[in-house]
Amino acid sequence: MSTTYNGVPSLKVHDKQTTTGLVYQLASQAGPISRIELAELAHLAPASITKISRQLIACGLLHEVNAQQSTGGRRPINLQTRTDNHQIVAVRIGRTTLHTGLCDLSGSVLASREVPLNASNGEQLVARITDEISTLLAQHKDPDKDLMAIAMTSPGLVNTLAGIVHYLPHINLAEPLALTEQISKVFHVPSYLGNNIRALALAEHYFGCAKDCQDVIVVRLHNGIGAGIIIDGAVLLGQAQNRGEIGHIQVNPLGERCHCGNFGCLETIASNKAIVQRVQQLFESGYSTSLNPDNLTVSTVCDAANQGDELAIRVLTDVAENLAKALATTINLLNPQEIVIGGHITEAWGVIKPVLEATLQRQTMASFIKDLPIEASKIERHSLLAPFALIRRALNKGHLLQYMIDQIHGQPTP
Ligand SMILES: [Zn+2]
């Protein structure tokens, strides 16, 4: 029987993985917890819990702890997840930088490195990632702890299930890049791949302000603009593995030409580059501002807006109105429970949020916008949480647990 950890497993393996993942997930959420309580929560027979917990203890992922002393009798034993026995590597491929981090299973970053990307084709990209991971491991990995897995996030179009990068905005790929296969071959552990923004949405769902919220839209405005859509607790990917290109929704039919070929896409107004260019244009047209035109970034524009600079407020108001137009379309389609916005513009959240809310009130179904929280991301800057979220998903879904259990029994390699 073949077991695939990234691909579609056979039904039997899938059931086993799912059940193991469920037990691990419940133990990590509700632990310390007794085996009986776990059986009740998971709707499984106590014998199944005994077998799965024995396997997870053997892998070093669960341990037994003494429960509170009850009145007399034997001291009950509880189960708790262990986050310190294994280490993982999280990799964030940016447009200009490569960020790697060594983490434990709680997501705490034990050591990290950030270097210029310096790659102009797929082969160089794989070599750079391999070098950086090797250096990180050589300098910081605890020799007494196992490297469990590697997770990578990338801009552009990726196939998460197959671990393949199809398109990068900054690197010319002659052919689709089988990234997880190549990285797993070098480091002999399972590896996972996701799109930056879709993985960020997952991180918001696991650890951020949308924690445990089942239907969320996360929009990140940076060099490009993308959305990660969580529906029923899972990232919406689809057959093409990429959904949420909110940056290419047209908000101004008479607007600037976008790199996608269309005119007036949201990205032509609300990307970092577009914001800085708009401020520059207005400054050159003679608008007065406290901003120094030689030192324009979205952060300096936000600072000026927070200080009451009229030009900065005017530009950010226009950005927020157009962002709200694109958001209104997605809210009317998907009726989410929460909206999370990430990116430098959130540094002027006091300016942005009221405009977003007012525009959404006008353009969205009344019952959809009523009580809909619109939050600024608090974890977006902790960019390694996005790749780490892929590891958390692989644990919760059981793929990674099954791999470790099979390793102990001398079965398949990744
Ligand atoms: Zn476009």
Side-chain angles (χ1 to χ4, degrees):
M1 178 178 63
S2 73
T3 308
T4 57
Y5 298 98
N6 280 322
V8 180
S10 75
L11 191 60
K12 195 174 169 196
V13 172
H14 187 66
D15 284 347
K16 205 161 72 172
Q17 281 182 7
T18 308
T19 310
T20 310
L22 176 66
V23 171
Y24 178 83
Q25 195 177 343
L26 289 171
S28 83
Q29 283 167 352
I33 184 170
S34 71
R35 287 174 172 80
I36 294 295
E37 288 167 323
L38 258 182
E40 282 170 11
L41 276 178
H43 301 290
L44 288 169
S48 299
I49 296 292
T50 303
K51 183 181 170 196
I52 293 168
S53 58
R54 191 189 306 131
Q55 289 173 326
L56 294 177
I57 288 169
C59 294
L61 289 162
L62 271 188
H63 66 152
E64 292 184 326
V65 291
N66 285 326
Q68 287 287 333
Q69 181 72 60
S70 56
T71 49
R74 239 171 37 152
R75 185 187 283 254
I77 300 291
N78 277 347
L79 293 170
Q80 191 169 30
T81 45
R82 285 205 72 152
T83 59
D84 57 345
N85 264 344
H86 302 84
Q87 300 191 324
I88 69 104
V89 171
V91 179
R92 185 178 185 282
I93 305 163
R95 293 200 188 201
T96 56
T97 59
L98 183 60
H99 192 179
T100 52
L102 188 68
C103 307
D104 66 17
L105 290 194
S106 72
S108 294
V109 179
L110 308 168
S112 69
R113 292 170 55 82
E114 190 161 8
V115 294
L117 185 58
N118 291 339
S120 54
N121 58 44
E123 202 177 316
Q124 286 176 12
L125 177 65
V126 173
R128 292 287 290 133
I129 295 171
T130 306
D131 285 352
E132 275 304 297
I133 295 175
S134 300
T135 307
L136 182 79
L137 292 175
Q139 290 179 349
H140 301 288
K141 187 184 157 296
D142 184 334
D144 295 331
K145 293 178 180 171
D146 290 331
L147 177 66
M148 184 197 236
I150 295 167
M152 299 167 281
T153 61
S154 158
L157 302 179
V158 307
N159 184 324
T160 296
L161 214 56
I164 292 173
V165 185
H166 286 277
Y167 165 80
L168 288 168
H170 53 321
I171 293 175
N172 209 358
L173 296 179
E175 53 187 27
L177 181 65
L179 191 56
T180 58
E181 186 187 323
Q182 296 197 46
I183 294 298
S184 285
K185 210 175 271 178
V186 176
F187 296 100
H188 310 290
V189 290
S191 59
Y192 299 89
L193 174 68
N195 164 277
N196 278 344
I197 175 67
R198 257 65 88 188
L200 176 67
L202 198 60
E204 289 287 353
H205 172 60
Y206 285 139
F207 320 110
C209 49
K211 195 168 181 222
D212 301 326
C213 189
Q214 296 302 301
D215 299 327
V216 194
I217 298 173
V218 179
V219 180
R220 181 170 182 265
L221 300 93
H222 204 251
N223 296 320
I225 300 173
I229 300 165
I230 305 262
I231 298 287
D232 292 334
V235 182
L236 196 63
L237 291 173
Q239 290 302 310
Q241 290 285 301
N242 287 285
R243 284 183 182 168
E245 293 299 326
I246 195 172
H248 298 287
I249 290 181
Q250 189 185 55
V251 289
N252 178 10
L254 299 176
E256 304 277 326
R257 183 98 193 227
C258 178
H259 64 87
C260 74
N262 200 354
F263 288 90
C265 295
L266 178 62
E267 223 169 271
T268 65
I269 294 171
S271 70
N272 284 359
K273 187 176 154 198
I275 293 171
V276 168
Q277 275 178 352
R278 184 75 183 129
V279 171
Q280 190 84 44
Q281 278 168 2
L282 291 176
F283 176 78
E284 285 164 8
S285 306
Y287 285 83
S288 66
T289 176
S290 59
L291 281 159
N292 174 359
D294 297 326
N295 180 30
L296 281 181
T297 64
V298 175
S299 288
T300 61
V301 174
C302 286
D303 280 350
N306 291 335
Q307 303 293 323
D309 184 274
E310 280 191 25
L311 185 148
I313 290 173
R314 183 188 163 132
V315 170
L316 290 182
T317 299
D318 190 47
V319 166
E321 280 175 351
N322 282 290
L323 171 60
K325 276 188 203 172
L327 267 177
T329 307
T330 56
I331 292 169
N332 285 336
L333 278 174
L334 300 169
N335 190 12
Q337 297 171 294
E338 186 162 348
I339 303 289
V340 182
I341 308 291
H344 290 292
I345 64 160
T346 61
E347 290 166 27
W349 194 235
V351 175
I352 298 281
K353 189 180 180 185
V355 181
L356 277 180
E357 286 177 335
T359 313
L360 287 173
Q361 288 291 346
R362 291 195 302 274
Q363 300 192 1
T364 312
M365 296 267 293
S367 61
F368 287 10
I369 193 68
K370 187 173 173 284
D371 303 325
L372 178 69
I374 301 167
E375 306 279 349
S377 172
K378 293 179 187 67
I379 64 168
E380 187 235 344
R381 301 294 170 86
H382 306 280
S383 59
L384 292 175
L385 269 182
F388 180 76
L390 302 177
I391 299 282
R392 174 58 66 89
R393 179 170 64 185
L395 288 167
N396 286 353
K397 299 291 179 196
H399 310 157
L400 198 45
L401 303 172
Q402 195 58 50
Y403 163 77
M404 297 191 67
I405 291 166
D406 288 347
Q407 283 286 295
I408 285 189
H409 295 100
Q411 278 182 31
T413 52

